[in-house]
Amino acid sequence: MTAMKDSLVLVRHGQSEWNQRNLFTGWRDPDLTDKGVIEARWAGRVLKDRGMIFDLAFTSLLRRAQHTLDIILAEIEHAEIEIRKDADLNERDYGELSGLNKNEAMEKFGGDQVMQWRRSYDIAPPGGESLLDCAGRVIPFYQNHIWPELQAGRRVIVAAHGNSLRALIMYLESLSGEEILTREVATAAPIIYDLNKDGRATDRKELVDSKGRDDGMG
């Protein structure tokens, strides 16, 4: 079986209201900023320029991802395709960090501790998830729900979040927990994958503009 060309697109939501305020977001549900809307429109336009066609879309239960997807699908004139929403694609849950900015979090918990929670693979903040925990729901969701659709020849777009997509990228690219920690996922920058018969990546193309993207915290 030859590689499935341009069969899967991943895209992180555009800048959210809490990204703009530098707050840990997680499962909280702010919408996009005006900049986030512009970013999502840009993503839709570059996908349209590449002639991308989708049969099915997946997204989380959080509106910043859903809004980004709706904008992209409108730009590429695919608003009528089926959209499946699931909490397994939600952002990593930041627990007690949610709603705090970096300075508030460091004052409450200490700078070293906050950095460990943000940048470790398997250490979770109080009441929240580690990236390992996030991968524990995202990867089975891909295997059980997304990959069967790709196997059936359907082209899929997934609009989700920085950490839920990092967990999926780790699986697709066969990266270790340590390797994925250095991978940033820019807002509204589509990543296009070719896949092999096992559902792993054989090629990766990331579409980014010259202005860069917001890193944010969820």
Side-chain angles (χ1 to χ4, degrees), residues 4-6 8 10 50 165-166 168-170 172-173 175 180 182-186 189-195 200-208:
M4 293 182 284
K5 298 285 291 181
D6 294 354
L8 175 65
L10 309 182
R50 289 184 64 90
L165 291 179
R166 285 167 81 203
L168 182 50
I169 289 166
M170 180 179 69
L172 293 173
E173 299 184 25
L175 302 176
I180 196 59
T182 63
R183 178 68 61 85
E184 299 295 344
V185 181
I191 304 170
I192 305 171
Y193 282 105
D194 300 342
L195 302 172
R200 303 296 185 107
T202 60
D203 187 55
R204 173 185 189 274
K205 298 176 285 290
E206 185 170 4
L207 309 180
V208 295

Side-chain angles (χ1 to χ4, degrees), residues 98-109:
S98 300
L100 301 177
N101 64 35
K102 289 180 182 178
N103 290 335
E104 290 170 334
M106 288 188 292
E107 288 175 6
K108 184 173 182 179
F109 298 106

